[in-house]
Amino acid sequence: MPLFNEATVVRSVVEEARRTFPNIVCVDDGSSDKSVAEAEAGGAVVVRHPTNLGQGAAIRTGLDYALQDPRAEYFVTFDSDGQHQVADVVGMIGRLESGESDIIVGSRFLDGRTKPGFLKSIVLRLAVLFESLSTGVRLTDAHNGLRAMNRHAAAVINIEQNRMAHASEIVAEIGRNKLRYEEFPVHVVYTDYSRSKGQSIWNSVNILNDLFLK
């Protein structure tokens, strides 16, 4: 879980996730609030960046840390703000256990549960088109932060983009490494809390910036 100034919600997010998945790693990306203490109180292991580097850097740090455990078979990137659902992770891990895919990418557009809003929907669909043309990887939701992968995928995906461009980079890495991939319908909940932080709008702007300036 990348973690940046989510002290209000991260403890409950970690506690809920740990009811099903006991091994949670939060990567604190230079938070200035009590995020670290709250994540630890929820039962997570917290790895800290001394300064804010960005979500991409936090994901790579988290994967590198988790890969040190030789018992770990599957790895999930999961937001710390309460938007992702543990039930979706259970389904995604089930698909990995079939052995048919190396990475499962969550999609907001395979069913009607998620309501991202008009602007975000347009931007996300433009991102899908761009990524498909530039990488050959065909997805319906190229910038979904909920992903599950096996050990091989977690090890070979190279993330050099520290900030929002990491999502495009992961898609490119799926193609470059010829990873077997599939999508899974997930429910992303845009809460009053996340909207109060302006995430939905600003993430759309950041995605556009990444696509054309990366």
Side-chain angles (χ1 to χ4, degrees), residues 161-197:
Q161 296 288 340
N162 283 351
R163 298 194 178 275
M164 293 300 292
H166 77 276
S168 301
E169 191 173 34
I170 289 173
V171 176
E173 286 291 290
I174 291 172
R176 186 179 72 83
N177 290 290
K178 296 181 172 54
L179 297 175
R180 299 169 300 162
Y181 68 93
E182 63 181 283
E183 289 186 290
F184 189 90
V186 301
H187 183 198
V188 177
V189 179
Y190 297 105
T191 63
D192 291 340
Y193 170 76
S194 67
R195 288 192 176 96
S196 73
K197 297 178 70 175

Side-chain angles (χ1 to χ4, degrees), residues 102-176:
D102 298 307
I103 183 168
I104 313 294
V105 181
S107 174
R108 286 161 279 200
F109 300 114
L110 292 179
D111 60 28
R113 290 178 296 166
T114 301
K115 308 297 181 184
F118 178 75
L119 174 61
K120 196 171 184 70
S121 294
I122 294 298
V123 172
L124 290 171
R125 293 185 187 281
L126 285 173
V128 164
L129 177 61
F130 183 91
E131 302 297 351
S132 177
L133 292 174
S134 62
T135 69
V137 176
R138 299 186 180 279
L139 300 171
T140 62
D141 190 355
H143 282 253
N144 195 310
L146 184 52
R147 314 171 188 89
M149 61 196 83
N150 62 20
R151 192 174 188 89
H152 170 64
V156 302
I157 288 176
N158 184 34
I159 303 175
E160 295 182 347
Q161 296 288 340
N162 283 351
R163 298 194 178 275
M164 293 300 292
H166 77 276
S168 301
E169 191 173 34
I170 289 173
V171 176
E173 286 291 290
I174 291 172
R176 186 179 72 83

Side-chain angles (χ1 to χ4, degrees), residues 16-34:
E16 174 66 21
R18 290 191 70 245
R19 292 190 180 102
T20 306
F21 300 102
N23 300 312
I24 306 293
V25 178
C26 286
V27 180
D28 180 65
D29 195 33
S31 294
S32 58
D33 62 4
K34 296 182 179 179

Side-chain angles (χ1 to χ4, degrees), residues 1-14 28 31-36 38-39 79-85 188-203:
M1 288 187 190
L3 176 60
F4 180 66
N5 290 341
E6 302 287 3
T8 304
V9 297
V10 66
R11 181 172 180 172
S12 62
V13 172
V14 170
D28 180 65
S31 294
S32 58
D33 62 4
K34 296 182 179 179
S35 289
V36 171
E38 289 296 311
D79 287 354
S80 58
D81 61 3
Q83 292 189 355
H84 293 157
Q85 309 305 304
V188 177
V189 179
Y190 297 105
T191 63
D192 291 340
Y193 170 76
S194 67
R195 288 192 176 96
S196 73
K197 297 178 70 175
Q199 289 182 7
S200 181
I201 298 297
W202 283 111
N203 280 350

